[in-house]
Amino acid sequence: METNNILIVEDDKEIREGVQIYLQSQGYKVFQAADGIEGLEIIDREDIHLAIVDIMMPRMDGIRMTMKLREKHDFPVIMLSAKSEEVDKITGLNIGADDYVTKPFTPMELMARVNSQLRRYRKFLEKLAPQENVHVIGGLEINEDAVEVTMDGKPVKLTPIEYKILLLLAKNPGRVFSSEEIYERVWQEKAINTDTIMVHVRNIREKIEIDPKNPKYLKVVWGVGYKIEKQP
């Protein structure tokens, strides 16, 4: 399992080191900084997954530091604030912090916030990551793993043959396939009578096109074959 790197930016050395002990006990790798300037320098050097940032610090406070790091980074930021810093705390959330903990705090409270923010961040990254077995063309989406097809988010019910034809074309948007090539790829045998391809294509159109007579996705290239049109 990948180790998460956490940055603590706090001018109080005792708080920094106390938080570090608890984070390391949970398996996190910890970096320390005494102010916002040091914190940004570490972020430039290291792959940070979450930052715990105090609001009130010398040289550069937590508000300005968070504003600067948000220009390049989207990892979670948890702000530390004293009760008297309510306005600064709200400002911090407005400029990009994800959560805050009020001093004095218990280690267990901070750990719970850290774990929660990292879970959210992992889910966010998973959504951004390209999925090799999901093919998206405009509003058409085909999930090979789940063997599911949706159009504008609504499920489309296809027969096994219809699904295989649509998948073949969708994996190669813009490429024209002849009826013979589609038949041989889908049925895994030499094409003898390809009339059935036209019937299947018509059925697929009825299920995925708003106007099957004026298709947006599944098009005929007369005299050549069929293709899935690339979408902007």
Side-chain angles (χ1 to χ4, degrees), residues 38-116:
E38 285 186 17
L40 292 174
E41 289 173 351
I42 291 172
I43 289 170
D44 285 341
R45 296 196 310 265
E46 306 292 341
D47 184 17
I48 300 298
H49 301 105
L50 180 144
I52 300 169
V53 182
D54 187 28
I55 289 180
M56 297 299 291
M57 294 183 293
R59 295 210 299 168
M60 179 182 284
D61 62 29
I63 300 294
R64 286 189 294 159
M65 177 189 166
T66 301
M67 290 177 68
K68 289 293 292 182
L69 74 85
R70 278 289 175 256
E71 293 174 4
K72 298 179 181 179
H73 305 281
D74 55 17
F75 57 74
V77 175
I78 299 176
M79 305 212 84
L80 303 181
S81 68
K83 289 183 179 179
S84 61
E85 298 162 5
E86 190 72 24
V87 174
D88 288 333
K89 181 171 62 183
I90 294 170
T91 302
L93 293 173
N94 286 337
I95 55 91
D98 298 274
D99 201 355
Y100 67 88
V101 177
T102 302
K103 298 177 183 179
F105 54 84
T106 65
M108 293 303 294
E109 178 188 5
L110 182 59
M111 293 306 104
R113 302 292 183 91
V114 167
N115 293 333
S116 174

Side-chain angles (χ1 to χ4, degrees), residues 82-211:
K83 289 183 179 179
S84 61
E85 298 162 5
E86 190 72 24
V87 174
D88 288 333
K89 181 171 62 183
I90 294 170
T91 302
L93 293 173
N94 286 337
I95 55 91
D98 298 274
D99 201 355
Y100 67 88
V101 177
T102 302
K103 298 177 183 179
F105 54 84
T106 65
M108 293 303 294
E109 178 188 5
L110 182 59
M111 293 306 104
R113 302 292 183 91
V114 167
N115 293 333
S116 174
Q117 289 299 327
L118 285 173
R119 280 196 300 271
R120 290 184 188 180
Y121 188 52
R122 277 194 293 270
K123 289 180 180 179
F124 169 72
L125 294 178
E126 287 170 2
K127 289 181 179 179
L128 291 183
Q131 302 177 62
E132 292 182 0
N133 292 325
V134 177
H135 310 283
V136 180
I137 303 167
L140 175 66
E141 182 171 312
I142 304 174
N143 187 321
E144 283 192 72
D145 293 332
V147 194
E148 292 177 345
V149 178
T150 60
M151 175 56 72
D152 296 329
K154 297 178 181 179
V156 177
K157 292 185 178 180
L158 300 174
T159 67
I161 292 297
E162 290 168 357
Y163 173 81
K164 289 179 181 179
I165 292 173
L166 182 60
L167 178 62
L168 171 65
L169 299 177
K171 289 173 76 171
N172 301 275
R175 178 181 167 184
V176 180
F177 287 83
S178 67
S179 295
E180 289 78 11
E181 189 173 4
I182 293 173
Y183 190 97
E184 291 176 0
R185 290 210 184 193
V186 171
W187 274 267
Q188 296 291 302
E189 60 184 47
K190 187 171 180 60
I192 299 174
N193 183 352
T194 61
D195 291 345
T196 184
I197 300 298
M198 181 175 62
V199 176
H200 287 302
V201 167
R202 184 170 64 242
N203 291 339
I204 295 169
R205 274 181 171 170
E206 292 289 340
K207 296 177 180 181
I208 70 169
E209 300 284 1
I210 295 175
D211 181 2

